[in-house]
Amino acid sequence: MTDKSQTTGGLLQDFEQLFPLSHWRRPPGCAELNDLWPEHAPRSRGGSLRFVVQDDTLPFPTLSYAQRIATHGLIATRPDNWHDLFNALTWVQFPRTKLALTERLADPAGTRDGRNRTPEHNALTLFDECGVVLASTDPAFKAMHTAHDWRRLFVTHRADFGRTIRPVVFGHGLADQARSPYVGLTAKAWYLPVGDAWMAQSLATRYAQVDERLAFSLPGTLTSPRQLLPLPVLGVPGWWDANRDPALS
């Protein structure tokens, strides 16, 4: 999947399980990506969602990226670009949420030079780029996280990750950065209460349920970047081999 010497394998594990990325020596083209759309994918106001090559032939060149999607369903995608690949895979995994957020972000004037960004625009963009959903059966995790009690969250409760709290990567920029991780790499977390039954579902079912809930609840609720909690990526159990040693956590 990548020629980088290190990756946060746990962070990208869901991508690799859902899609055969390890067999791709380079990002696939739009035709291959369009074959990945699930049957339940929503439609934009202009029709079915689909990836189109971002080049000189891109349709509706005066429209912003978000407006082109909202009005025509066209997702501009740069060829041979890992960042845009992860964006495409996030669209496939969370089509309802991505469309809902994009419609919220679309410039009403439909031009590239959207102005007067609000705190809500900034929050949604931040989540789109580096968001992580922390699905949890216990509200105590959010309390620890809010207090930045990293030792309790990452060390004392290490065994709970994957059992009663499970991170779900949403931000495509974060996934791209995970190909070459570094100390200080930080995600922006949004907590989602779930039950034990959700934890027992298959990976695809969990993602579909997260997509449905986020699409319904996130627009209009996430209105400020302050609502997103910083999450040190290399501290998350299972996302970095070195954090198995508590002395390094």
Side-chain angles (χ1 to χ4, degrees), residues 56-76:
D56 293 340
T57 66
L58 183 67
F60 312 107
T62 62
L63 297 185
S64 69
Y65 169 84
Q67 193 68 20
R68 190 180 297 106
I69 296 171
T71 58
H72 299 286
L74 303 179
I75 305 168

Side-chain angles (χ1 to χ4, degrees), residues 230-249:
L231 182 70
V233 168
L234 301 193
V236 177
W239 278 7
W240 188 247
D241 286 342
N243 71 28
R244 294 180 181 180
D245 182 355
L248 302 177
S249 301

Side-chain angles (χ1 to χ4, degrees), residues 4 7 12 18 41 58 83 97 107 109 132 157 165-166 181 187-188 190-191 213 218 224 234 236 245:
K4 303 294 185 181
T7 62
L12 297 178
L18 290 167
L58 183 67
H83 185 93
T97 305
D107 173 23
V132 169
H157 289 275
I165 182 170
R166 185 183 292 273
K188 295 296 182 179
W190 179 264
Y191 273 81
R213 290 184 59 184
L218 209 59
S224 168
L234 301 193
V236 177
D245 182 355

